Amino acid sequence: GAVVSQHPSWVICKSGTSVKIECRSLDFQATTMFWYRQFPKQSLMLMATSNEGSKATYEQGVEKDKFLINHASLTLSTLTVTSAHPEDSSFYICSARGLAGPTEYQETQYFGPGTRLLVL
Amino acid sequence: DAKTTQPNSMESNEEEPVHLPCNHSTISGTDYIHWYRQLPSQGPEYVIHGLTSNVNNRMASLAIAEDRKSSTLILHRATLRDAAVYYCILRDVYYGGSQGNLIFGKGTKLSVKP
């Protein structure tokens, strides 16, 4: 099956610093990548959607200047949490949508393993 | 967005079949029914999807009602590893723009007893 990787898997940082999270589709080209956030015991919340070479589209209530998304290629997207604060501590999950195999006729969305961020 | 309704939680015994229901009475003709599951501390995992006909793959089966207003995810023999939150999500087949985004509800938390 299709594989989406994230790096790092967890990060602890001091308040006020910036943290970059990488998301890669390892064996397929992603036409669209997504970033979700999940707080404890809650469901995933979509933060933003991005296409390669285009500006990301952010969901309502998500600060685009705080959560910078760069979609550099069809296999790589990065999320930078700028000036992180304790309330940004969460589980960040990326997702990539594409055709993951020669027999697929419709794009499927695959998820990375998540990055746990703790801001002290 | 078309919405789905799932039970908050279900229990199953190991090695028994599990039927996870999902209601989607406002489904449109172009909505696919997707199922994902999320194991603790992991990202969601694709399980199966379908439009009108029942679907089978190595992980599960998806039974879709004739009127498409409900569906059931079937795990044929539950294992301890199947304990997860299962999400039933509708996604427009014309996935350009925000219509194609997967929006997660609360899902069903499945517990599997040995």
Side-chain angles (χ1 to χ4, degrees):
Chain A
V3 178
V4 176
S5 71
Q6 274 184 250
H7 178 79
S9 55
W10 60 269
V11 57
I12 301 173
C13 69
K14 292 182 178 179
S15 186
T17 60
S18 294
V19 174
K20 180 186 282 189
I21 304 170
E22 281 191 358
C23 174
R24 294 180 185 272
S25 56
L26 296 186
D27 47 6
F28 68 102
Q29 292 186 329
T31 52
T32 308
M33 284 187 162
F34 306 83
W35 288 95
Y36 292 80
R37 179 168 55 181
Q38 185 174 34
F39 292 107
K41 303 200 180 205
Q42 293 186 24
S43 189
L44 282 77
M45 288 179 51
L46 180 64
M47 298 175 68
T49 304
S50 72
N51 294 298
E52 183 244 351
S54 301
K55 286 186 178 179
T57 301
Y58 291 82
E59 294 297 299
Q60 193 171 8
V62 178
E63 300 175 58
K64 61 180 180 182
D65 295 329
K66 181 168 185 63
F67 299 99
L68 301 179
I69 292 172
N70 182 274
H71 195 151
S73 73
L74 286 173
T75 60
L76 173 64
S77 176
T78 60
L79 169 68
T80 301
V81 183
T82 62
S83 186
H85 290 284
E87 58 265 30
D88 298 323
S89 299
S90 188
F91 191 45
Y92 291 86
I93 305 168
C94 79
S95 180
R97 186 166 73 200
L99 293 173
T103 61
E104 287 204 347
Y105 60 90
Q106 188 196 39
E107 295 185 340
T108 301
Q109 192 165 331
Y110 299 94
F111 288 81
T115 296
R116 196 162 297 281
L117 170 64
L118 176 61
V119 184
L120 301 177
Chain B
D1 293 331
K3 295 190 184 298
T4 63
T5 305
Q6 299 177 252
N8 289 334
S9 62
M10 290 184 65
E11 276 192 355
S12 172
N13 293 316
E14 196 177 11
E15 299 194 1
E16 289 187 356
V18 182
H19 290 233
L20 296 162
C22 181
N23 287 321
H24 27 79
S25 58
T26 58
I27 190 171
S28 76
T30 53
D31 283 328
Y32 271 80
I33 303 159
H34 289 251
W35 283 83
Y36 284 78
R37 71 179 185 182
Q38 186 177 23
L39 279 64
S41 298
Q42 295 187 30
E45 175 185 26
Y46 167 79
V47 178
I48 200 167
H49 76 280
L51 183 63
T52 56
S53 303
N54 294 343
V55 185
N56 300 297
N57 66 20
R58 62 178 180 82
M59 288 182 70
S61 295
L62 176 60
I64 301 173
E66 196 168 334
D67 63 5
R68 301 214 320 128
K69 293 186 177 182
S70 65
S71 61
T72 302
L73 179 70
I74 302 166
L75 306 179
H76 297 286
R77 285 184 68 200
T79 68
L80 296 178
R81 196 194 173 279
D82 291 322
V85 178
Y86 287 78
Y87 298 97
C88 169
I89 305 169
L90 301 183
R91 183 187 143 197
D92 199 299
V93 67
Y94 299 112
Y95 47 73
S98 62
Q99 289 177 310
N101 295 346
L102 291 179
I103 305 300
F104 286 76
K106 295 185 178 180
T108 297
K109 183 174 183 179
L110 175 66
S111 302
V112 180
K113 295 184 289 185

